[in-house]
Each structure stands twice: as structure tokens, then as C-alpha cells.
Amino acid sequence: MKKLIFTVAWLACAAAANAQEPLSAYDMNKPFGWAMVDGTITGGEGGVETVVTTEAELQNALLNNESGKKETGFKRIIYIKGAIEITQPVEKNAYHVQNKTILGLPGSKLYSKTRTAKNGGVLKFTTETENIIIRNVTFEGPGAFDVDGEDALLLQGCKRVWIDHCDFLDGMDSSFDCNNGSDNISVTWTRFRYLKEPLREGYTGDSKDGEHRYCCTWGASDSKGNVSGGHLNTTFANCWWGEGCIERCPRVRFGKVHVVNCYFTNTGNGYCLGYGYQSNIYADRCWFADGVKVSKNMATKKGYLDYNFQIVDCHNAADVKEAVGDGTYYTPSEYYDYAGFAVDLVPAVVGDEKTGAGANLMVEVGKGVTGYADGSAVVPEPEPEPEPDGIVGIENGTVRNGDYYNLAGQKTGKDYEGILIHNGKKIVNKK
């Protein structure tokens, strides 16, 4: 039986089993990827709803139950209202909590103005943190300052976290780091930028000139294999690294990391994808703008040389399949279903200020996410494909692993005769 394959922006099959309405033809308005492997993520669904306007109220909502007693697993949906300054030393601002959803109301943000090593972070979640959803939150740091300080968001030993439609601005040490065995992380429709000039005097960290506009470090040290080996598995989908993002977009150790349909406009950077010790990166249908340096081998220290690195169907980046050591290449479709869309659509879809990556959602107390903040129409559905008849623009190809669906969204076998959807492609099976 001959299999004919052509690419379409087809996402209906992915949404069929979820009650949440998609935001657009491309944004399913739900977690997918590593956050959903061998489990699920619900955040504070069904819990108490709380609006917070101060740092103290946020801490109380994260740590305590309705009676004010410490109960880190208490289900809660937390709405961020207005601009909340984070001032507490990091020792008092590190949370280990479960079953929380944090939603930013339009115009809100969490920010820090302090540039000292123990006070510059915004949120830090530590061991025993699990089942956390953060959506439409703007994290604003004080600007890059290399004093081995704190990150705008840090996950240490956390499990099952979904970050969606967030904005990261000017993190001091990094925008968003993940280490110490964290696992099952999905980051979707999130934007990273550095708008403030780095503070280059008085630095004590690892950069030569105080430059530290470094975004996302996955795995803190090559020597942490006993903690992070086999973990740090993460999906970055539809994210945008833009102005001022010099390095680490992301820089990975240990984890299986899928970077799909992401947008890189950080021209003049050092590198985007840093493949480090025991990393296993699969970059799929990403768009690298002209002048953007795509990748760099960071696994160069003696005894820490192993890695697997792949680039597939990206713009301005040649396909790569490169490895050192005896590790097995990571193929995301062997772990979860995903569709995605053609790489040529990435600038228009992910880079749209109104409906693409960033904190641009409408969030309403009692309702959650209800659309886009400015009321923009959703991205139009793709034009329906005509029934095959003298089929044009079709390539012979090999069907990848993963589930198969018919046009009604019903799961089928791969030998089903007719039109199937598989890994974001339409397949016509004919005898």
C-alpha cells in the first residue's frame, strides 16, 4: 500500500479529547508534550479562587489553606492583579507547593528591582513542587547582572509544570532556569526579551565583561548527573526568543528537550541552542531569522563530552544529526503526540503581538482564560484541503511513529483506508 504524505496545519485531532476550546487554529489552549507524559497536569482546577495584589498575599495563597494554615497541596487558582513587587530574600521566597494555577490578569506583572545576589529573583519553586500551571504572567527582573544571582523564574526539583503565554523580561541571572532533577515540563507560547542594558560593573560571576543576558539554563552543572540524569525532560513549543537574548535559548544538560515551532529573532547573539553534557535536543520546524547564530557545542570539558543533537526542517538552519557517545537519539513522537505547523508560518503565528507568544491573553476572575486580551480575532482556520484528485505538491515519505486519526478525530490503525492525520500530516492510504 502506497502512502502519500503532505503537510497541513491540522490540529483538530489533538483537541478532540479535551473539553477546553482552542484559542486558534494553532493554539490548543491546553498543555501537551512532556508535562503530559505518563500523567496529567491540572494545577488548581476545582480549588479556591483568590485574587492577590501584594507579595504577602501571593505567598499566603501559595503556602496556606483558607484557614491560613500551611497546606502546600491546597488546591487554588491564584489571579495576579496589578504590578506586584517581589522584595523578600530568596530564602523566604522559595516555595514547594502542589496543585496551583497562577493566572495573570491583563496588565499585571511580578517584578523585582533589586540587584543583589539573594534578592533579584521573582519566583523560585523547589523540591516537592508538582502540578503547577502558570499562564499570562509577566516576570520582570532588574536587568542582567552577573553576580551568580537569582532568576526571574527557577524550578528546582519540580515535577509537572506548564508555563503558557508568559513574558520574561530582563532576568538578573537568567530569565527562566530549570535544574536539580526537575521533570515533565512544558513551556508554550512564551516570550523572552532583554530590554535593559546589563550592569557591567561589579560583576563576580562567570562572564568576562558582565554580559549575562542569558535566558534559559536547563541543568546547572555537568557534575549533577546523580540528580538530573534522566530528568529535565521539556517541551518548548511556539516560544519566541527576541531582543537582547544573547545565549541559552535554551542551553541544555541531561534532558530530552523538544524545541518545536519556535521563533528566534535575537540577531547578533552568541548562540541559541546550546547542547551540553548528556543533552538530547530535537529542534523541529523552528525559524531562525537572518543573522541569528543557531547553536553551539557546550559539551567540551574532558569527561563530559556526550550529547545527542538534531535539527529538522528549520529555517536558516541546515538539518543536523550529531552525537558523541553511545546515547540514543531522542524522537519526540515516540513519547507523545504533537502536530505543529509548517515552518514558514512561524513568523506570522508565533510572532503576532496580539495572538502569538507572550502574555496577551484575556483572563477573567471566575472564568480563567477566555480569549486574547485585546479581543483580536483568533488566527483563521487553515483553508480546507481539497479531496485528492490528481494530487499536487505531495512527496513520498515515511510515516513517523505515533497515533493515527481519521477526519472525525477518531483514533484508528495505520492501515485504515482513506484520509488519516498523523503527526500533523495528512496521509492518503490507497490500495
Side-chain angles (χ1 to χ4, degrees):
M1 178 167 52
K2 190 175 183 180
K3 294 179 171 61
L4 301 176
I5 305 173
F6 54 99
T7 301
V8 294
W10 187 277
L11 300 179
C13 61
N18 195 291
Q20 292 174 294
E21 290 296 324
L23 287 172
S24 76
Y26 306 100
D27 188 343
M28 290 295 95
N29 192 27
K30 67 173 185 177
F32 82 97
W34 273 109
M36 302 293 284
V37 172
D38 296 327
T40 189
I41 183 167
T42 57
E45 181 179 339
V48 171
E49 297 196 331
T50 304
V51 178
V52 300
T53 60
T54 67
E55 181 179 18
E57 290 175 351
L58 174 60
Q59 290 177 335
N60 181 68
L62 286 169
L63 296 174
N64 301 324
N65 61 24
E66 282 298 88
S67 299
K69 295 182 179 180
K70 188 172 182 179
E71 185 180 343
T72 57
F74 185 75
K75 288 184 179 180
R76 196 187 291 270
I77 300 172
I78 302 168
Y79 294 91
I80 306 295
K81 183 178 180 180
I84 299 177
E85 183 177 2
I86 304 299
T87 62
Q88 290 286 348
V90 69
E91 290 86 355
K92 295 182 179 180
N93 197 16
Y95 305 106
H96 49 277
V97 298
Q98 302 88 38
N99 311 324
K100 300 294 188 293
T101 296
I102 303 174
L103 300 174
L105 294 171
S108 66
K109 68 177 179 179
L110 302 175
Y111 72 99
S112 172
K113 297 188 297 185
T114 307
R115 281 180 162 176
T116 58
K118 292 186 177 182
N119 290 273
V122 178
L123 283 183
K124 178 179 180 179
F125 292 97
T126 56
T127 54
E128 301 180 19
T129 293
E130 186 169 357
N131 191 27
I132 303 296
I133 294 173
I134 303 176
R135 304 186 71 187
N136 206 54
V137 175
T138 295
F139 295 84
E140 183 179 328
F145 184 29
D146 190 15
V147 289
D148 291 329
E150 297 299 325
D151 313 305
L153 176 63
L154 175 61
L155 305 181
Q156 289 188 325
C158 303
K159 308 295 182 185
R160 299 206 183 281
V161 179
W162 178 35
I163 308 297
D164 178 65
H165 275 282
C166 288
D167 255 312
F168 286 88
L169 302 170
D170 299 298
M172 185 173 77
D173 189 62
S174 290
S175 299
F176 177 16
D177 280 4
C178 180
N179 56 48
N180 285 21
S182 294
D183 213 350
N184 296 99
I185 312 297
S186 290
V187 186
T188 57
W189 300 99
T190 289
R191 188 173 182 182
F192 301 89
R193 288 173 288 171
Y194 279 87
L195 305 181
K196 300 172 185 176
E197 180 68 19
L199 183 62
R200 300 183 186 275
E201 296 180 2
Y203 64 90
T204 58
D206 57 3
S207 65
K208 295 180 180 179
D209 60 358
E211 172 63 77
H212 214 272
R213 291 175 292 178
Y214 302 158
C215 294
C216 304
T217 304
W218 251 236
S221 170
D222 290 346
S223 64
K224 293 289 186 178
N226 61 324
V227 176
S228 292
H231 301 296
L232 304 182
N233 299 312
T234 302
T235 301
F236 287 93
N238 318 114
C239 294
W240 182 0
W241 283 270
E243 181 179 351
C245 296
I246 300 299
E247 295 183 2
R248 305 181 189 179
C249 308
R251 189 257 201 251
V252 181
R253 297 176 175 93
F254 304 112
K256 294 181 178 70
V257 173
H258 185 196
V259 185
V260 57
N261 282 149
C262 289
Y263 191 33
F264 298 86
T265 59
N266 47 333
T267 303
N269 65 326
Y271 68 87
C272 294
L273 306 174
Y275 46 105
Y277 179 55
Q278 291 189 3
S279 63
N280 211 327
I281 299 174
Y282 189 95
D284 174 15
R285 289 170 287 171
C286 295
W287 180 286
F288 297 92
D290 293 345
V292 171
K293 295 180 182 178
V294 174
S295 62
K296 184 176 181 179
N297 181 3
M298 307 300 290
T300 57
K301 185 179 178 181
K302 185 178 179 181
Y304 299 97
L305 302 177
D306 294 0
Y307 65 86
N308 292 72
F309 180 60
Q310 296 179 82
I311 295 179
V312 180
D313 296 334
C314 292
H315 176 81
N316 271 342
D319 283 4
V320 172
K321 192 170 186 179
E322 179 182 328
V324 170
D326 57 3
T328 302
Y329 283 108
Y330 162 51
T331 303
S333 60
E334 294 178 356
Y335 294 86
Y336 52 82
D337 294 331
Y338 70 100
F341 43 85
V343 66
D344 289 347
L345 296 173
V346 169
V349 174
V350 179
D352 190 303
E353 298 274 351
K354 297 178 180 179
T355 61
N360 51 22
L361 300 179
M362 173 55 69
V363 175
E364 300 179 67
V365 177
K367 296 181 180 179
V369 174
T370 58
Y372 293 109
D374 69 347
S376 297
V378 299
V379 180
E381 294 285 347
E383 290 294 325
E385 293 289 334
E387 289 298 318
D389 181 16
I391 301 172
V392 177
I394 296 178
E395 302 174 351
N396 289 327
T398 301
V399 179
R400 295 185 292 174
N401 292 332
D403 293 328
Y404 295 77
Y405 297 83
N406 62 22
L407 295 184
Q410 298 167 324
K411 195 172 179 179
T412 71
K414 66 180 180 180
D415 294 327
Y416 178 93
E417 185 176 354
I419 301 175
L420 298 176
I421 305 300
H422 173 63
N423 287 335
K425 295 182 177 181
K426 190 178 286 186
I427 303 165
V428 183
N429 280 347
K430 291 185 177 181
K431 291 186 177 179

